[in-house]
Amino acid sequence: MIGAIYGDIAGSKYEFHNIRTKEFELLDKNCYFTDDTVCTIAFMDFLMNAKERNEEEATKYLRKWTRNYPNKGYGEHFYSWIYSDNPAPYGSYGNGSAMRISSVAYVAKSLDELKNLSDVVTKITHNAREGMKGALVVATCIYMSLHGKNKEEIKEYACNQYPEIKSFDYETLRRTYKFSEKCQESVPQAIYCFLISKDFKDCAKTTISIGGDCDTTAAISCAIAEAYYGISKEDEEKAKSFLTPEMVKIVDEFKEYG
């Protein structure tokens, strides 16, 4: 439940200064949480405490948290949405939909409920086809991991959604992958990094080492990796040490809830 947050913090210092190697320290003193963490926690809060799990409530919780934590790297259109008098979806296919989705996989009791919850929290902003798809594919990979599916099964599903994953090569990505905030140009790469990883930390390092929008891609891949591998208490506590007390409270409550 903290995998996305861990990935976000680990990748934060490298988002605009990519490092094309795995030889670096995870979560050093120069790391920090960004919009990925704020939005992830907002939906944890929503799923636990909203009166109803609908778009109106999802909007309320997301705007509350993002207003409480401004200047965390929000995109231009999303920033306008946060402060709009009439917030409405704006046709985004950005990877913001996928980096904040992980919590729905922990509360959904079926794939149908997973899709419904994914759609509810995504369409309030990222209502373009690729934005909706990116969120649902990531949520489904997490859900599959939580429900005992192996990597081959997750890979088969992911490749059906993004066939390009089959042709990815780590060394080629590490040399050539470019920054993109589009779901269709970052979600497949993040899933691939999970698929080739050996454990949770290796997933974080693999994802960050290919460059690009690596706080977000690491948030995505590490959300899946936590569900699949688990995360050590030490790594969980280290990630929480970067958060504010009110954030830690929601994370801890969600751990018990989900």
Side-chain angles (χ1 to χ4, degrees):
M1 298 179 192
I2 201 168
I5 294 168
Y6 186 104
D8 172 46
I9 297 168
S12 59
K13 64 181 282 187
Y14 301 112
E15 179 181 8
F16 301 113
H17 302 89
N18 287 170
I19 184 170
R20 305 281 178 162
T21 176
K22 293 186 184 182
E23 300 303 317
F24 64 92
E25 180 184 352
L26 288 166
L27 271 62
D28 70 22
K29 64 180 181 179
N30 295 313
C31 292
Y32 49 90
F33 71 83
T34 78
D35 56 332
D36 304 47
T37 291
V38 177
C39 295
T40 295
I41 291 174
F43 285 145
M44 290 181 179
D45 193 10
F46 160 72
L47 290 166
M48 290 191 296
N49 298 312
K51 291 180 292 185
E52 293 184 55
R53 289 176 178 171
N54 58 28
E55 294 168 47
E56 181 180 357
E57 287 286 291
T59 296
K60 182 178 77 173
Y61 276 84
L62 188 55
R63 278 159 57 94
K64 177 187 79 172
W65 279 90
T66 51
R67 287 183 177 196
N68 286 346
Y69 293 91
N71 306 316
K72 288 298 178 181
Y74 307 111
E76 181 181 351
H77 294 296
F78 184 68
Y79 190 87
S80 297
W81 179 89
I82 294 169
Y83 292 99
S84 172
D85 292 333
N86 296 290
Y90 47 90
S92 175
Y93 46 79
N95 54 20
S97 67
M99 55 78 162
R100 68 195 194 191
I101 198 66
S102 55
S103 56
V104 305
Y106 286 85
V107 302
K109 300 298 190 290
S110 67
L111 285 172
D112 286 342
E113 185 181 11
L114 181 78
K115 184 179 187 308
N116 178 64
L117 288 173
S118 179
D119 288 351
V120 165
V121 301
T122 301
K123 71 170 89 173
I124 59 174
T125 52
H126 293 60
N127 60 328
R129 177 182 176 276
E130 289 293 342
M132 300 284 289
K133 174 184 175 180
L136 181 57
V137 172
V138 172
T140 303
C141 288
I142 297 169
Y143 183 91
M144 292 176 73
S145 297
L146 291 171
H147 289 80
K149 300 300 183 183
N150 61 40
K151 273 196 183 178
E152 283 305 311
E153 292 170 303
I154 297 168
K155 181 179 180 179
E156 181 180 6
Y157 165 75
C159 289
N160 282 337
Q161 303 301 313
Y162 295 110
E164 60 268 37
I165 291 174
K166 297 177 185 177
S167 64
F168 285 160
D169 171 75
Y170 170 70
E171 288 298 335
T172 302
L173 285 173
R174 193 173 63 82
R175 292 194 309 270
T176 65
Y177 182 54
K178 299 290 194 299
F179 186 99
S180 176
E181 295 178 341
K182 298 176 182 177
C183 271
Q184 59 269 38
E185 295 177 356
S186 55
V187 170
Q189 287 79 3
I191 295 172
Y192 171 77
C193 288
F194 157 70
L195 290 170
I196 66 169
S197 66
K198 300 173 184 176
D199 53 42
F200 179 81
K201 284 186 174 179
D202 184 58
C203 180
K205 288 195 170 188
T206 298
T207 311
I208 293 166
S209 71
I210 70 168
D213 186 12
C214 60
D215 63 326
T216 295
T217 51
I220 293 167
S221 68
C222 288
I224 306 170
E226 181 197 11
Y228 190 83
Y229 299 115
I231 184 172
S232 71
K233 184 67 175 177
E234 179 184 1
D235 289 331
E236 180 182 341
E237 292 301 319
K238 189 169 184 181
K240 283 161 60 176
S241 72
F242 288 83
L243 306 180
T244 66
E246 68 171 349
M247 287 177 155
V248 172
K249 180 175 182 292
I250 294 297
V251 170
D252 286 345
E253 289 176 355
F254 193 81
K255 184 176 181 180
E256 297 300 318
Y257 181 86

